Amino acid sequence: MTRIAFIGLGNMGGGMAARQVVGGREVKAFDLSQAAIAKVVGTGAEGAASVAEAVKDADVVITMLPAGPHVRKVYTDDILPKAPKTALLIDCSTIDVDSARAVAAQATSAGFRFADAPVSGGTAAADAGTLAFMVGCDETAFADVDEALKPMARVVIRAGDHGAGQAAKICNNMLLGISMIGTCEAFALAEKLGLAPDRFFEIASKSSGQCWSLSTYAPWPGVGPQTASDRNYEGGFAANMMLKDLKLAQEAAARAGATTPLGNSAEALYALFDRLGYGGKDFSGVLQMLRGDLARLSG
Ligand code: NAD
């Protein structure tokens, strides 16, 4: 039976580790939070007392941590010194491209195979095992990475070499942040022009303005499929998570010399929404800021 060490059992990692158990793998799980470990132990995983204990006999090590500094530290202090060299190392956290490449270089020079494999899909997809993984790894390692991720995945796509998974993730989410703001601005203008939101939705979703943020995830409550907007923007994809990804995109753009003015504006708008106290709301709630009706978010 494949032995998986799972490090980072938060909102995403907890559900993902449980899917590995359902997939018939032997899971040894560690988190700094005892409560998070206990929850995953309740699904059939074994709890570990440290990262070192979790990884010591692992075939595959999966990390799902908050950000780049956490990943760099856990790899440097614990995983690389303590995991068997045969272990396949996969980081599923969303982190900056430079950290992903630095950890990959450290891991490969220590003799490990490594993949960055961030995900698209939120906690519901993590719990259901229907995440989309974008993978940066050597071509020769991909079949094993794919096999390791299968119990947690709807789709696993190789983006390219080390760092390419993170690059794909931040480019996708920058596009999503921009398209959501564009969709919200269009709804807000339609309202001011006296156009009914459901009419605008029906017309634009069949016209050239059609995009995922409009037709699948409409920010206006009561139009289109059920979304977070129908639950007063609770659940879904938190605006402060979108802000984190937009910051990563801007940092990457600055370093790479890419021109991303709309990504920059999107970051500024989400930063304002967050500062106003709505970072925990779904990212489509930015509609209410643009309409000047933030009060309804507190209701
Ligand atoms: P989270 O904060 O809920 O979980 C992170 C977990 O890591 C926490 O339980 C924390 O205790 C643990 N942790 C931190 N340092 C540790 C260490 N040194 N050793 C062991 N455990 C440690 O975050 P999350 O929502 O699960 O997100 C995890 C990653 O997935 C982030 O990079 C995030 O950007 C990305 N992501 C999140 C979503 C989402 O909808 N929540 C969607 C896609 C991607």
Side-chain angles (χ1 to χ4, degrees):
M1 195 189 272
T2 307
R3 287 164 303 204
I4 308 265
F6 210 111
I7 316 298
L9 311 167
N11 293 327
M12 295 293 289
M16 291 163 70
R19 292 311 306 184
Q20 290 286 0
V21 175
V22 172
R25 279 92 190 265
E26 195 180 304
V27 177
K28 251 194 201 169
F30 178 74
D31 193 288
L32 296 177
S33 153
Q34 286 302 318
I37 297 177
K39 204 166 164 200
V40 172
V41 167
T43 70
E46 189 186 333
S50 62
V51 175
E53 188 193 314
V55 304
K56 74 174 191 298
D57 301 315
D59 300 312
V60 179
V61 176
I62 299 176
T63 41
M64 192 56 168
L65 297 165
H70 306 82
V71 175
R72 283 181 187 251
K73 185 161 173 25
V74 167
Y75 265 83
T76 306
D77 294 355
D78 297 305
I79 297 176
L80 299 180
K82 299 288 168 33
K85 295 279 187 256
T86 47
L88 172 63
L89 312 179
I90 307 177
D91 177 42
C92 296
S93 329
T94 301
I95 66 171
D96 57 288
V97 176
D98 285 355
S99 289
R101 290 194 174 133
V103 170
Q106 255 181 296
T108 48
S109 70
F112 290 95
R113 291 176 305 153
F114 174 84
D116 49 290
V119 305
S120 178
T123 52
D127 292 345
T130 56
L131 293 165
F133 287 85
M134 19 204 134
V135 180
C137 69
D138 285 344
E139 220 163 349
T140 52
F142 182 66
D144 288 345
V145 174
D146 187 26
E147 184 58 30
L149 298 177
K150 238 180 207 131
M152 311 183 290
R154 173 172 54 81
V155 61
V156 181
I157 301 173
R158 181 172 176 271
D161 293 332
H162 294 135
Q166 298 295 349
K169 167 79 186 175
I170 60 170
C171 291
N172 178 74
N173 279 25
M174 183 180 80
L175 178 56
L176 174 63
I178 292 168
S179 77
M180 179 54 78
I181 289 169
T183 302
C184 291
E185 285 187 0
F187 268 113
L189 175 61
E191 179 185 30
K192 290 270 187 231
L193 297 176
L195 176 59
D198 64 327
R199 296 296 82 208
F200 170 63
F201 172 81
E202 190 176 344
I203 292 162
S205 48
K206 294 189 178 79
S207 304
S208 47
Q210 191 278 331
C211 64
W212 185 90
S213 296
L214 175 74
S215 7
T216 306
Y217 210 83
W220 195 286
V223 304
Q226 281 270 318
T227 66
S229 69
D230 300 308
R231 304 185 297 272
N232 195 23
Y233 306 95
E234 292 297 337
F237 182 40
N240 55 22
M241 298 291 254
M242 171 53 86
L243 177 60
K244 172 195 164 186
D245 293 351
L246 288 168
K247 281 188 171 143
L248 289 177
Q250 285 311 291
E251 285 160 19
R255 270 197 293 277
T259 308
T260 54
L262 293 183
N264 190 278
S265 299
E267 185 204 341
L269 273 169
Y270 277 107
L272 175 60
F273 192 57
D274 187 43
R275 274 202 306 281
L276 290 169
Y278 300 102
K281 288 283 183 178
D282 182 75
F283 80 121
S284 63
V286 80
L287 169 72
Q288 303 306 338
M289 183 171 81
L290 294 169
R291 289 179 66 239
D293 191 12
L294 277 169
R296 80 156 50 208
L297 293 178
S298 314

